[in-house]
Amino acid sequence: MTIALNRFSLAFAFTASLLSATALAGSASAQDEGLVVYNAQHESLGREWIDAFTKETGIKVTMRQGGDMQFANQLIQEGDASPADVFLTENSPAMTLVDGAGLFAPIEKDTLDQVPDQYRPADGMWTGIAARTTVFAYDKTKLTEDKLPKSMLDLADPTWKGRWGAAPAGADFQAIVASLLQLKGEDATKAWLKGLKDNATPYKGNSVAMKAVNAGEVEGAVIYHYYWFGDQAKTGENSKNVGLHYFKNQDPGAFVSVSGGGVLKSTQHMKDAQAFLKFITSKAGQAVLKDGTSYEYAIGKDAASNDKLTPLADLNAPKVEASTLDSKKVVELMTAAGLI
Amino acid sequence: MLASGNEAPVTPRAARMVLPRGRMPHATVVLFATVVAVFSLVPLGFIGWVTYDVGWETVKTLVFRPRVGELLVNTVLLETITIPLSIALAVTLAWLTERTDIPFARLWAWLAIAPLAVPAFVHSYAWVSLVPGMRGLQSGVFISVIAYYPFLYLPVAAALRRLDPAIEDAAASLGLNPWRVFFRAVLPQLRLAICGGSLLIGLHLLSEYGLFVMIRFDTFATAIVDQFQSSYNSPASNMLGGVLVACCLFLLGFEVLVRGNERYARVGSGSPRPAARRRLGWFVVPAVLLPVLLAVLTLGVPLMTLGRWLYLGGAGIWHIEVGSAFLQTIVLAIGGGVLATIAAAPMAWLSVRAPGRFQRLLEACHYYVGSLPGVVVALALVTITVRLVLPLYQTFATLLVAYVMLFLPRAMVGLRASIAQAPVELERAAMGLGRTPGQAVRQITMRLAAPGAAASVALAALGITNELTATLMLSPNGVDTLATKFWSLTSEIDYVSAAPYAFMMVVLSLPLTLMLYTQSKRTAGQ
């Protein structure tokens, strides 16, 4: 486009100016992104946290939305050149993966002090920021208490063929499989995944699975608790027939998954990035979980969760070491089982 | 590839457009076209490299597994059911609107292509909202036909307009009844149009993501995105990409085979008289019902569902983000459209003015890359930028490169047609008056081709507006298009908040679709 414009027809002048407008728009938004957060948490929750943080500190934050494992592997490929400063996930296996690659900077002590020991790894390379529990969401019109599965492992039984659903491609479900792997070992996990492949209907996303239960397509689905509470708080349209069954008894299906936050070692904004995680785990940050629309559990010391939730302490979750959940192995097993 | 997906091999008429060698700046143009062709080979080269890199044993375990078999069965069923249904529907409708005295023919013709203004995944969203139980192959076929049949209607209607009725008269005079005339004299002549349109639909079915996710039908595209979200750019997702590319190449080859080499040009001198419209008689009632029913299914349902969500949401769902996503989409769509058109220009010019064996090869590179699914192109660009040219990683530049690759064929279509309509004699005359060859091309041909170039930009922009997977994977931080915003909201089944984004996508696509329609009329010589 170096030729003088007057030699061209109007059409070409027009396209050329649009092109430069594109370039301008591109460079304008390329500068000053502020803090870059790779957010694998729900977009709305990430947004609530960021808005509250920016309001309090004036620090600009750019959010990139994606999935747990997608970002974890992406960060590993990006290495030191990653544009990300902070990484937030829904579950902990992705944090473990990034930590294993040595990409996290230690979290400041003040921040760690705000989170009880059981919701963060001992080495302090990342921290828990919220939690969620596995549930069996079931169709109240079809199943009664006595017909519910005693353990999540029962769902691999042929009697459950075609009767339940899950969202196997999602990070949420993969975290559940990771805990199963840690609790029961590889053979039991393989067997359960085979049962899943044979018996369950795969959905894209937990909310879609819950919607299917509500619509009577399947009798139940393994999901996390807060999709139900979120829908009840809105219109209840997708959960009016749905009840929640908590497995408890330290069953693999009572697994509580810790959402994580970490600061990338390669960040150019170390101070702001640390401040962001400190804010999220602080009283104000955890209050977003209590008062907001996410219905995830607050895990900060002295932080209260939303009143409507069954208290974390009553869930009788199995003991899982969050910092060693093996996401890589899980993806391998699930690929081998033909689930992804 | 849209309006005239039936690109015929070089015809004698086109041959007259060819310039004598040595008089034109061949070398420069060939150089530019070669650069674009080399770029377009990158995704294929990438798949080859990954395959080589992981080794045969890994390839075997990742490709020859039951899951890939399931996906292959799904894909084959989808293609073999959807395409014949679309052909039957498009040919019937085109015949009704072009060759019969059906009332309001022009209205039905407009309504027949209007579904293109509704992105495929919005069709799906509308139907799933209306019938929540829709899922699997049947629903996939149904929504695919509804969303994509205009890709067949356009070229078939254009071909019907162009046909010389003398052949039908001859057939009738030999005693064939009207049905036989249609099947033996008309239908064979539509072969190029049908092949071109079917190929386009076939390729769309391979690369479509949003439509099938929404109704839970697994294809290679959805499985690749699943893998990508579980493991980002793993050998497994790349191997699925490889199988998908193989499917694309198979379709392309199959189309060449079916298309054949017959001659379809008119032999006689002068120009054909317009065909007489057949009287429908009592048959007019079912004949009108068909386009009405189709309009209800293809436009009524999406507009009704959208309208319902918009009404339920009220003013509260029109956040400022809708506006910013709209602007970002426009900038990306026009920017990508312009770049794709510029990138296609050297090849379009060469293919008209200087066809030859090497040029045909270059042209094939231009066309094949557009047949690749966005997800495959994006996978390649992610790895290459993150490993080799990091400054380009997650930038507008890379995203635009992906758009150029994906929509190169669309840009070629408009340009080729309009360059072919610019008489080479004018270029020669300009040179005779002392212009250099380069000046002659710029001052004569480029001016005459400007309307075609504008149509190319519009066509590519339409594609970019509805593009989802490549945008999701490559976009710079903080960039949200209408499609990606719509997508993240529908995945949280927040259908109400998603509605404004879908609505704005339709608003943006509508003028582009109209342009497509007028362009198809123009290439048909009307």
Side-chain angles (χ1 to χ4, degrees):
Chain A
M1 306 304 285
T2 52
I3 304 111
L5 283 174
N6 58 7
R7 298 214 160 176
F8 276 88
S9 67
L10 260 181
F12 272 83
F14 178 64
T15 51
S17 56
L18 276 172
L19 187 63
S20 37
T22 312
L24 273 179
S27 57
S29 56
Q31 43 176 271
D32 189 30
E33 294 182 317
L35 207 55
V36 173
V37 174
Y38 276 11
N39 181 46
Q41 255 294 352
H42 283 235
E43 191 166 356
S44 38
L45 177 58
R47 181 60 60 201
E48 283 178 75
W49 265 330
I50 284 170
D51 288 348
F53 174 70
T54 305
K55 203 171 153 201
E56 191 172 293
T57 61
I59 297 168
K60 187 176 183 291
V61 181
T62 300
M63 183 170 100
R64 186 180 180 87
Q65 187 62 30
D68 276 13
M69 298 310 292
Q70 175 190 344
F71 274 146
N73 288 289
Q74 185 170 348
L75 283 167
I76 289 168
Q77 296 223 350
E78 291 168 358
D80 289 341
S82 176
D85 302 307
V86 175
F87 179 31
L88 301 183
T89 62
E90 294 186 330
N91 303 284
S92 57
M95 302 308 285
T96 313
L97 196 62
V98 177
D99 191 18
L103 295 173
F104 279 141
I107 302 287
E108 280 176 3
K109 191 168 173 307
D110 292 358
T111 308
L112 294 178
D113 285 346
Q114 303 186 115
V115 181
D117 295 347
Q118 72 262 38
Y119 299 124
R120 59 182 166 85
D123 65 359
M125 296 306 282
W126 55 272
T127 177
I129 54 172
R132 47 186 62 193
T133 180
T134 315
V135 293
F136 188 66
Y138 66 97
D139 185 341
K140 285 186 294 188
T141 65
K142 289 197 184 129
L143 292 178
T144 48
E145 288 281 331
D146 55 314
K147 286 183 187 154
L148 288 167
K150 294 279 168 293
S151 161
M152 184 177 82
L153 298 180
D154 296 348
L155 294 168
D157 194 89
T159 52
W160 277 94
K161 193 172 174 63
R163 293 170 56 199
W164 65 290
D172 274 356
F173 193 81
Q174 289 169 13
I176 297 172
V177 179
S179 92
L180 179 63
L181 182 65
Q182 192 182 93
L183 291 166
K184 304 278 170 184
E186 189 171 329
D187 290 338
T189 307
K190 269 187 184 162
W192 192 72
L193 287 176
K194 189 180 174 304
L196 170 71
K197 174 80 179 166
D198 292 344
N199 295 348
T201 311
Y203 294 94
K204 306 276 183 225
N206 279 319
S207 35
V208 184
M210 181 180 75
K211 194 168 166 246
V213 175
N214 188 57
E217 284 179 39
V218 283
E219 291 170 38
V222 175
I223 62 172
Y224 283 141
H225 74 282
Y226 60 93
Y227 294 92
W228 185 86
F229 289 97
D231 193 69
Q232 287 284 309
K234 275 190 275 180
T235 57
E237 197 182 332
N238 297 307
S239 60
K240 55 179 184 289
N241 298 331
V242 179
L244 294 190
H245 170 52
Y246 296 87
F247 287 102
K248 300 195 176 176
N249 302 322
Q250 304 198 334
D251 188 78
F255 168 60
V256 169
S257 190
V258 176
S259 303
V263 172
L264 277 304
K265 205 165 65 182
S266 58
T267 176
Q268 306 289 313
H269 309 96
M270 184 57 83
K271 215 173 113 248
D272 290 354
Q274 292 282 357
F276 183 65
L277 278 187
K278 188 172 175 193
F279 172 79
I280 286 187
T281 48
S282 73
K283 251 202 162 93
Q286 294 290 298
V288 167
L289 295 167
K290 179 178 186 294
D291 306 326
T293 55
S294 67
Y295 295 93
E296 294 183 44
Y297 285 103
I299 45 100
K301 280 183 187 155
D302 312 322
S305 299
N306 195 299
D307 308 335
K308 293 186 180 137
L309 304 182
T310 308
L312 263 181
D314 299 351
L315 294 173
N316 204 357
K319 283 228 173 322
V320 172
E321 181 51 58
S323 58
T324 59
L325 290 178
D326 190 350
S327 54
K328 235 180 172 152
K329 187 79 195 167
V330 166
V331 171
E332 237 175 76
L333 291 176
M334 292 185 67
T335 303
L339 290 161
I340 52 175
Chain B
M1 197 160 23
L2 282 173
S4 46
N6 46 346
E7 296 287 340
V10 187
T11 61
R13 199 170 67 83
R16 286 208 304 275
M17 303 279 190
V18 175
L19 281 174
R21 259 157 209 285
R23 299 241 10 219
M24 294 299 296
H26 277 305
T28 336
V29 184
V30 170
L31 182 73
F32 275 115
T34 311
V35 169
V36 177
V38 166
F39 255 93
S40 60
L41 284 174
V42 163
L44 199 59
F46 170 75
I47 297 274
W49 174 74
V50 173
T51 312
Y52 174 80
D53 194 49
V54 298
W56 177 239
E57 280 308 310
T58 316
V59 172
K60 244 181 9 194
T61 51
L62 289 177
V63 172
F64 300 102
R65 58 187 178 113
R67 175 71 174 155
V68 176
E70 283 168 26
L71 296 172
L72 209 53
V73 169
N74 280 0
T75 304
V76 170
L77 285 175
L78 181 72
E79 298 269 355
T80 50
I81 302 174
T82 306
I83 292 177
L85 281 177
S86 305
I87 294 175
L89 184 64
V91 171
T92 312
L93 201 61
W95 188 76
L96 283 175
T97 56
E98 294 296 329
R99 286 304 191 84
T100 68
D101 64 347
I102 187 169
F104 315 115
R106 182 161 284 233
L107 173 70
W108 306 132
W110 279 101
L111 289 179
I113 62 131
L116 280 187
V118 183
F121 50 93
V122 174
H123 277 288
S124 201
Y125 153 83
W127 279 97
V128 164
S129 316
L130 190 72
V131 190
M134 281 189 86
R135 60 161 179 216
L137 179 66
Q138 280 168 307
S139 308
V141 168
F142 175 71
I143 299 176
S144 301
V145 170
I146 278 178
Y148 289 132
Y149 85 89
F151 284 129
L152 262 163
Y153 173 84
L154 268 177
V156 170
L160 270 177
R161 270 195 296 266
R162 222 170 12 204
L163 281 191
D164 185 352
I167 300 175
E168 289 154 65
D169 295 345
S173 70
L174 291 171
L176 296 185
N177 69 29
W179 281 105
R180 288 195 160 182
V181 171
F182 181 79
F183 281 102
R184 290 179 57 180
V186 178
L187 204 54
Q189 297 192 77
L190 298 179
R191 186 149 90 177
L192 283 184
I194 290 176
C195 283
S198 303
L199 177 64
L200 202 60
I201 293 180
L203 292 173
H204 268 94
L205 294 179
L206 287 183
S207 55
E208 179 58 53
Y209 168 71
L211 191 172
F212 297 121
V213 170
M214 208 97 68
I215 53 159
R216 289 193 289 112
F217 182 67
D218 281 342
T219 67
F220 282 102
T222 66
I224 292 170
V225 175
D226 279 354
Q227 266 289 348
F228 184 76
Q229 279 167 357
S230 307
S231 52
Y232 191 77
N233 195 20
S234 66
S237 47
N238 281 302
M239 284 309 103
L240 287 178
V243 180
L244 185 49
V245 169
C247 293
C248 287
L249 295 179
F250 174 82
L251 265 188
L252 288 168
F254 187 69
E255 194 258 351
V256 170
L257 210 68
V258 175
R259 189 175 55 191
N261 274 325
E262 274 88 353
R263 188 194 150 94
Y264 293 93
R266 234 178 132 254
V267 189
S269 60
S271 53
R273 68 176 163 82
R277 286 182 176 260
R278 191 166 291 281
R279 296 179 64 91
L280 285 170
W282 63 268
F283 193 68
V284 74
V285 178
V288 170
L289 272 178
L290 178 73
V292 170
L293 179 71
L294 209 56
V296 169
L297 296 181
T298 58
L299 296 169
V301 169
L303 293 183
M304 197 188 75
T305 321
L306 262 183
R308 184 173 157 254
W309 291 127
L310 287 174
Y311 172 77
L312 286 177
I317 50 176
W318 291 90
H319 297 294
I320 183 90
E321 283 120 53
V322 179
S324 81
F326 185 65
L327 284 181
Q328 300 209 10
T329 308
I330 287 195
V331 168
L332 281 173
I334 307 271
V338 169
L339 284 176
T341 307
I342 292 174
M347 190 64 243
W349 187 84
L350 273 182
S351 71
V352 175
R353 291 286 195 255
R357 209 168 273 175
F358 179 61
Q359 279 83 335
R360 290 287 288 281
L361 185 71
L362 290 185
E363 201 177 351
C365 294
H366 280 64
Y367 274 114
Y368 110 86
V369 71
S371 69
L372 295 186
V375 81
V376 172
V377 171
L379 270 179
L381 290 178
V382 161
T383 316
I384 289 165
T385 52
V386 85
R387 290 198 190 170
L388 302 177
V389 271
L390 202 62
L392 287 178
Y393 175 65
Q394 283 181 8
T395 57
F396 273 99
T398 309
L399 186 58
L400 287 173
V401 166
Y403 288 153
V404 168
M405 287 183 177
L406 291 170
F407 301 111
L408 207 52
R410 295 192 179 205
M412 291 275 290
V413 170
L415 276 178
R416 263 197 66 145
S418 52
I419 291 176
Q421 278 164 7
V424 69
E425 289 78 8
L426 292 183
E427 273 180 38
R428 290 203 190 116
M431 284 185 275
L433 293 170
R435 297 283 194 271
T436 66
Q439 282 172 334
V441 172
R442 284 199 297 273
Q443 293 172 0
I444 305 296
T445 308
M446 281 176 90
R447 252 179 228 220
L448 289 172
S456 293
V457 172
L459 260 183
L462 180 65
I464 295 170
T465 304
N466 303 342
E467 211 287 332
L468 185 59
T469 41
T471 317
L472 282 175
M473 289 157 77
L474 294 171
S475 67
N477 291 324
V479 167
D480 286 311
T481 65
L482 291 172
T484 59
K485 281 299 281 183
F486 172 80
W487 190 250
S488 70
L489 287 165
T490 48
S491 5
E492 293 184 33
I493 51 175
D494 193 348
Y495 289 169
V496 174
S497 307
Y501 296 96
F503 180 74
M504 293 315 282
M505 267 188 279
V506 175
V507 166
L508 197 53
S509 304
L510 207 55
L512 303 174
T513 306
L514 294 187
M515 197 149 179
L516 187 59
Y517 181 71
T518 35
Q519 178 68 11
S520 88
K521 287 257 180 189
R522 189 178 299 130
T523 45
Q526 283 189 14

